[in-house]
Amino acid sequence: MNELKRQHIAAILIQSTKGVWQIAVPFAIVALLQQMLFYFFIALCALIVISAVFSWLSWFKFRYRLEAGELYVERGVFIKKKRYIQKKRVQAIHISAGLWQRVFGLVKVSIDTAGGGMEAEAEFVAVTRAEAVRIRAELLKEVKETDSSQNDGELNEAQNDIETEAETETKPLAVWHLGTRRLIYAALTSSGIGLVLSAVAALLSQVGQFLSFIPDDIYENTFDYIFSLGLFLLLILVVAVLLLSWIISSVLTILTYGNFKVSTYEKEMVIERGLIEKRQLTLAYRRITAVRIIKSIIRQPFGFVSVYVESAGGGTNKEQGSTMLVPLIHERDLPAFLEQTLPEYVFERPIKTAPKRAAIRFFLRMLIVPVVATCVASYFFGAIGLIGGTVVVAIAALFAWLQYRDAGAGSNDTFIWLRSRTIGQTLVISPKQKVQSVTKRVSFLQRRSKLAHFEIFVQSSLAGKSFYVPNVSDENADALFQWYSHQSD
């Protein structure tokens, strides 16, 4: 137990490959554009050697030991670092298996601690699954001796979470699978198309560099032909880019959420997902601070929603510190799913919507910029600018109406819920004891209309997150404020 150990030797290959990939790919693109492939291959060979040597040194210097009540890690090639991680500080342990780990039958282990931020406090790139289970069991098992410094409320709650995770039963009470049909629907309606579209557009902007390899006469004849096609070619190009972005976004969604399932236990749930890189997250119920039900503009007409949870530990950077509970589910199936996973969140949620006098504020906020832009465009571009600007104004007006219609909030004895919209609709549900603070904000113009913004703040991952609903009635905001400020003991 007291002997210092190293990771699996495959960590050398995994780390060196990752380093070479991150550096070589952007330089390969630049070398291809600048016709410097020979120099790139020479630099690539040198990079492989340097990365392999540095990865070996990192593997050799990285040693760890599990002692009673803590994990000891020492690492560093040029500067030696030693770190002790006490089990009472551990918030979550993530076990995942990327492509390289799966080749060698290994897993990656990331350890999150209280106050450690979004980055892992300690990370094992390549260990056997048996060793990962041992690390997790040692750091999450119940502490026999209580340190007197554990009087702090947040620390005690974190310790309870750790004890909860250590009690995971072998057989789950229930298992919910995303299934092939839902996965395909999630892929086809993925909102990631915007990010992919940006990447595709950036790639297409570099096409001109590749055309320098084509002889001038062929290039000129081809350009004249393409230019003669005019608007028709432009429409085809736009459709092709959108289609390509949609296909890439769909494939990425399938790879990310393939084999998605939620296993529920007595005190926690286990979320598993991924086709190439398999991820597993154990989430204690007591950590959950809020549930978010998202209706994207694409999925809402079909009745599909996504569900996220905010929690004190377990969130990811890719999901803005939140945890994806279910990528896609139909609204009619949502109560049954919540009954299986989070039964305390199954109840009627009446919404007191924004009053009619608030509508003008939603429309003014959304229409000022498009109307001004339309006037400028019509002045410089005539009828074309006017037509294009009118379309934009109409779309902005539609979203203004949707934002006004969806704005609202409600509460009962133990929960509060806020509903709002930017592009998609968001419904946030949080228990009273998990709300860290509430805020009522009234501007000068809102005071005249007896309106207010209402905001709640909950803990999310190791930071905090706020949610608000704009332009609710002053009476409703006061009622919600009093609901929180007069908590019963």
Side-chain angles (χ1 to χ4, degrees), residues 65-330:
R65 176 176 61 230
L66 281 167
E67 298 176 337
E70 64 185 7
L71 169 68
Y72 168 76
V73 177
E74 62 177 38
R75 61 186 178 86
V77 176
F78 302 107
I79 300 176
K80 193 171 184 178
K81 299 180 180 179
K82 298 181 180 180
R83 177 172 295 172
Y84 286 94
I85 301 175
Q86 297 180 342
K87 66 174 63 179
K88 64 186 179 182
R89 293 290 182 183
V90 176
Q91 289 277 8
I93 295 180
H94 305 258
I95 299 176
S96 61
L99 182 60
W100 282 108
Q101 281 89 358
R102 293 173 66 183
V103 168
F104 295 99
L106 305 172
V107 296
K108 174 182 175 182
V109 180
S110 300
I111 300 173
D112 296 334
T113 62
M118 291 299 297
E119 299 298 328
E121 188 76 10
E123 188 172 84
F124 300 86
V125 177
V127 295
T128 63
R129 182 168 291 276
E131 180 67 5
V133 172
R134 186 178 79 89
I135 293 173
R136 185 179 186 279
E138 287 290 330
L139 293 180
L140 294 183
K141 71 181 180 180
E142 182 177 358
V143 180
K144 301 300 182 182
E145 298 180 1
T146 304
D147 192 335
S148 60
S149 63
Q150 295 184 27
N151 294 328
D152 182 81
E154 294 183 359
L155 186 57
N156 286 334
E157 183 174 351
Q159 178 60 37
N160 290 334
D161 293 341
I162 294 169
E163 295 172 5
T164 295
E165 289 195 7
E167 297 172 1
T168 302
E169 301 174 15
T170 303
K171 185 178 180 180
L173 300 176
V175 179
W176 185 89
H177 292 271
L178 179 64
T180 303
R181 180 178 296 181
R182 289 194 186 98
L183 178 61
I184 293 175
Y185 289 160
L188 297 180
T189 59
S190 172
S191 58
I193 187 173
L195 296 176
V196 176
L197 184 61
S198 301
V200 172
L203 180 63
L204 291 177
S205 67
Q206 303 298 322
V207 169
Q209 297 287 341
F210 294 94
L211 297 179
S212 60
F213 297 100
I214 302 176
D216 292 341
D217 55 340
I218 298 178
Y219 173 82
E220 291 176 359
N221 292 334
T222 303
F223 181 79
D224 291 339
Y225 173 74
I226 293 175
F227 186 76
S228 65
L229 295 178
L231 182 60
F232 179 72
L233 177 64
L234 180 61
L235 292 175
I236 293 178
L237 180 61
V238 170
V239 172
V241 170
L242 290 174
L243 181 61
L244 178 61
S245 302
W246 181 51
I247 293 173
I248 295 175
S249 176
S250 299
V251 171
L252 291 177
T253 300
I254 292 174
L255 294 178
T256 301
Y257 297 112
N259 294 328
F260 189 100
K261 68 176 182 178
V262 181
S263 303
T264 56
Y265 298 85
E266 182 180 355
K267 296 182 179 180
E268 67 275 307
M269 66 177 70
V270 177
I271 303 172
E272 300 177 62
R273 72 185 193 192
L275 291 181
I276 295 180
E277 182 177 5
K278 294 186 176 181
R279 293 180 175 270
Q280 176 180 309
L281 170 66
T282 301
L283 185 63
Y285 298 132
R286 71 175 73 246
R287 285 184 183 169
I288 296 175
T289 59
V291 171
R292 284 193 295 133
I293 302 173
I294 308 297
K295 297 180 180 179
S296 71
I297 195 68
I298 300 175
R299 293 173 176 172
Q300 187 170 358
F302 303 99
F304 291 114
V305 300
S306 301
V307 183
Y308 291 81
V309 293
E310 310 299 333
S311 61
T316 65
N317 285 324
K318 293 182 179 180
E319 294 167 357
Q320 290 78 49
S322 304
T323 298
M324 173 72 80
L325 183 58
V326 54
L328 182 138
I329 190 171
H330 201 278

Side-chain angles (χ1 to χ4, degrees), residues 341-415:
T341 55
L342 298 169
E344 65 272 20
Y345 285 83
V346 181
F347 54 86
E348 293 293 328
R349 296 181 291 270
I351 298 285
K352 189 172 183 180
T353 58
K356 293 182 179 180
R357 61 181 181 275
I360 186 63
R361 294 188 59 81
F362 287 94
F363 279 91
L364 286 176
R365 185 175 60 178
M366 288 294 296
L367 294 179
I368 288 178
V369 174
V371 168
V372 172
T374 299
C375 294
V376 174
S378 62
Y379 177 80
F380 286 101
F381 302 103
I384 295 179
L386 179 60
I387 294 173
T390 302
V391 172
V392 173
V393 169
I395 295 174
L398 173 61
F399 277 105
W401 178 78
L402 291 174
Q403 291 175 0
Y404 159 69
R405 185 197 65 179
D406 291 341
S411 65
N412 58 23
D413 292 339
T414 55
F415 283 87

Side-chain angles (χ1 to χ4, degrees), residues 416-436:
I416 188 172
W417 50 94
L418 309 180
R419 191 179 68 187
S420 61
R421 175 188 292 273
T422 49
I423 302 299
Q425 184 196 96
T426 299
L427 175 65
V428 180
I429 312 167
S430 181
K432 178 185 286 189
Q433 66 270 23
K434 298 296 184 180
V435 178
Q436 296 189 335

